[in-house]
Amino acid sequence: MQLLPSLVSGLKAVCASFPDSRKGRGGNIAIADFGMAAFSMFFMQSASFLAFQRSLEKGRGRSNAQTLFGIGRIPSDNYIRGALDEADPALLQPCFERMETLLAQPAMRQAFGRLGGRTLVAFDGTQYFCSQKLRCPNCLTRERSNGKTENYHCLLSATVVAPGHSKVVPLMPEFVATQDGAEKQDCERNAVKRWFDSHHARIAPLRPIFLGDDLFACHPVCKMITDAGDDFIFTCKPTSHKALYDFIDGAEPFRHVERVRRGKTTDTRRYRWIEAVPIRDGKDAILVNWISFEILDAKGKVKYSMAWVTSLPVSKDNVAEIVACGRARWKIENESFNVLKNHGYELEHNFGHGQNYLAMTLATLNLLAFAWHTVLELLEPPWRTAREAAVKRTSFFAQILTLTTYVAFPSWLVLLESLTTFTIPPELVKRLDSS
């Protein structure tokens, strides 16, 4: 077993680079321990993990925080919040760059490669904190109808997705936050430009195709992507693209029809596309290919309808796969945001807001834990075997928490073998009985 210990080692090195403003006795806890302690809660899917490890260390002399995560001393929760409030989430970028490297491995290429081995990266924003009382310099604000002001945090996620695959891999996020010197409040379009400037050149070997909702189907974003030699598939609604739909009104599209049998019913899938359509008014408007897709039931009633613009060439041979990739954008909401908020990661929970970077750094560590879980299930055999033995994801993490509450395991491999075989090594049982 090599990947998980390597990931832990890499994260610890990154956490060691966090700023340390302590003076005097505070230095007896390594600065890396603060970041590793916070990450361990997200990775183990338990806000109580550190409390259990403190008790375990008190009774056994060591804990899983030490043996699995390399934490020398477990800081108090408030001490963790204070230390991480000074750590810019951008410092965690090397850990996400490791995820990008792993995406180039054959197993990951096979899992996520589409349209000739290309990687789909979906953009979308989500809120992860809201309060009428707490505020920091990075907060956005909005006025509610009752006259009260809300402070909130949003992030722009760039997530690797693929049609027909239930797993997703979040990349380094970009935060929608107050920008120095800006007169207007930040927005997702500005955030996606910053993300692209920072990361697109580095992920070029993945041959990305960027996905997004109607918000990103605009001239500046589309031109930014094509100027860099990349491609996009963005949702395109008539209500926000009047000039485009006026241009194609009355035009004769290319057509392709497929019939797909599902159980006892047969659906008709109808594709239409028009090439070289200006995305907006103006002679300098970028030209895109427009695709319309409909699913009709056996009686000819339209059950689903959507349209996209893309920089990809469209033909009868690839239009169905392009549409499938465009529809995979929903995975950033279903398989990413929904899981992060409702299935163990508790992204919207206020783990700590702080006065500087705390809320953003904790959200980034949470996303990193989610990314690790995906790549481990695909690339680390002992993790995958233990995960399959538990059948359900919730059972897997419940079993991890139960075992690590009472037994200090010497390594990840021993822990995962115990989860797979439903047994604890005899030497650990003896140590447990003698304590």
Side-chain angles (χ1 to χ4, degrees):
M1 182 176 185
Q2 298 179 346
L3 180 55
L4 182 50
S6 174
L7 292 175
V8 170
S9 177
L11 175 59
K12 187 174 182 179
V14 167
C15 291
S17 71
F18 287 179
D20 189 354
S21 59
R22 297 171 296 169
K23 295 180 180 179
R25 294 182 60 189
N28 59 7
I29 298 179
I31 192 63
D33 287 348
F34 295 100
M36 296 303 296
F39 177 80
S40 68
M41 294 189 299
F42 299 129
F43 187 78
M44 302 298 267
Q45 298 284 272
S46 171
S48 303
F49 175 71
L50 293 178
F52 291 146
Q53 298 315 301
R54 293 186 188 103
S55 298
L56 185 63
E57 185 175 39
K58 186 176 181 180
R60 310 283 193 282
R62 63 175 184 168
S63 74
N64 295 290
Q66 178 188 52
T67 58
L68 303 183
F69 292 99
I71 299 171
R73 295 187 62 186
I74 305 174
S76 69
D77 295 350
N78 286 335
Y79 208 2
I80 292 170
R81 294 187 186 100
L84 295 187
D85 198 23
E86 305 301 320
D88 190 326
L91 293 169
L92 291 164
Q93 181 172 313
C95 297
F96 286 93
E97 291 179 9
R98 180 71 184 279
M99 297 299 99
E100 297 165 8
T101 301
L102 294 174
L103 283 164
Q105 293 196 9
M108 299 292 277
R109 289 280 198 179
Q110 183 178 1
F112 293 103
R114 298 294 186 273
L115 289 166
R118 302 189 67 176
T119 303
L120 308 179
V121 179
F123 290 131
D124 202 3
T126 191
Q127 176 181 300
Y128 64 94
F129 172 84
C130 182
S131 173
Q132 293 182 358
K133 297 180 180 179
L134 299 177
R135 176 169 173 75
C136 73
N138 294 302
C139 278
L140 303 173
T141 61
R142 60 187 169 214
E143 295 289 335
R144 288 303 191 188
S145 57
N146 60 6
K148 294 184 177 180
T149 299
E150 285 184 348
N151 309 308
Y152 66 102
H153 281 265
C154 283
L155 61 83
L156 177 89
S157 178
T159 301
V160 174
V161 301
H165 200 289
S166 62
K167 302 299 180 185
V168 299
V169 182
L171 304 179
M172 182 70 191
E174 177 65 38
F175 289 90
V176 186
T178 301
Q179 303 296 305
D180 291 339
E183 296 182 2
K184 295 183 179 180
Q185 186 157 270
D186 199 20
C187 65
E188 288 181 34
R189 282 184 179 174
N190 290 337
V192 82
K193 293 174 186 176
R194 294 195 301 272
W195 187 95
F196 199 82
D197 287 344
S198 298
H199 307 296
H200 88 272
R202 197 179 58 253
I203 68 170
L206 298 176
R207 300 170 61 219
I209 298 173
F210 295 98
L211 313 179
D213 62 20
D214 185 83
L215 178 69
F216 302 108
C218 62
H219 176 86
V221 174
C222 292
K223 189 174 188 301
M224 172 186 72
I225 291 172
T226 54
D227 283 352
D230 296 322
D231 290 296
F232 60 83
I233 308 170
F234 293 144
T235 303
C236 181
K237 298 179 179 179
T239 51
S240 53
H241 291 82
K242 187 176 184 302
L244 183 151
Y245 279 89
D246 285 345
F247 183 88
I248 65 175
D249 186 29
E252 182 60 30
F254 295 97
R255 299 175 185 272
H256 177 60
V257 176
E258 294 179 343
R259 288 177 174 79
V260 179
R261 186 168 182 82
R262 293 184 176 278
K264 296 181 180 180
T265 63
T266 300
D267 290 337
T268 298
R269 300 192 171 192
R270 187 162 62 195
Y271 304 88
R272 296 179 296 151
W273 65 97
I274 299 174
E275 299 174 334
V277 178
I279 198 167
R280 62 162 169 80
D281 280 327
K283 295 181 179 179
D284 63 338
I286 187 173
L287 299 181
V288 297
N289 296 325
W290 174 84
I291 303 174
S292 170
F293 174 62
E294 294 176 329
I295 300 178
L296 294 78
D297 63 19
K299 296 182 179 180
K301 183 179 179 180
V302 176
K303 300 195 303 181
Y304 175 86
S305 177
M306 188 57 68
W308 298 266
V309 290
T310 182
S311 56
L312 295 165
V314 185
S315 69
K316 179 180 178 180
D317 295 329
N318 70 1
V319 65
E321 188 175 8
I322 291 175
V323 165
C325 292
R327 295 179 71 187
R329 182 198 73 80
W330 284 100
K331 289 183 174 290
I332 195 174
E333 297 186 12
N334 297 335
E335 276 84 352
S336 182
F337 296 155
N338 180 46
V339 173
L340 284 165
K341 294 181 179 182
N342 302 310
H343 298 280
Y345 299 87
E346 305 297 336
L347 181 65
E348 292 179 305
H349 177 75
N350 180 19
F351 293 100
H353 184 251
Q355 295 300 314
N356 293 299
Y357 297 115
L358 181 61
M360 300 161 68
T361 298
L362 291 176
T364 306
L365 287 169
N366 209 342
L367 285 173
L368 183 63
F370 183 30
W372 280 26
H373 290 156
T374 298
V375 299
L376 288 171
E377 195 160 338
L378 293 172
L379 296 177
E380 188 77 294
W383 180 278
R384 181 170 60 248
T385 303
R387 171 68 181 81
E388 291 171 351
V391 183
K392 293 184 178 180
R393 179 187 175 280
T394 52
S395 299
F396 176 64
F397 285 105
Q399 291 166 11
I400 286 181
L401 183 60
T402 299
L403 286 180
T404 57
T405 299
Y406 299 102
V407 180
F409 290 88
S411 69
W412 282 106
L413 183 58
V414 175
L415 170 59
L416 293 171
E417 287 177 346
S418 292
L419 289 166
T420 301
T421 60
F422 298 93
T423 59
I424 299 175
E427 63 273 17
L428 297 184
V429 174
K430 291 180 180 178
R431 190 175 301 165
L432 183 62
D433 292 338
S434 62
S435 60

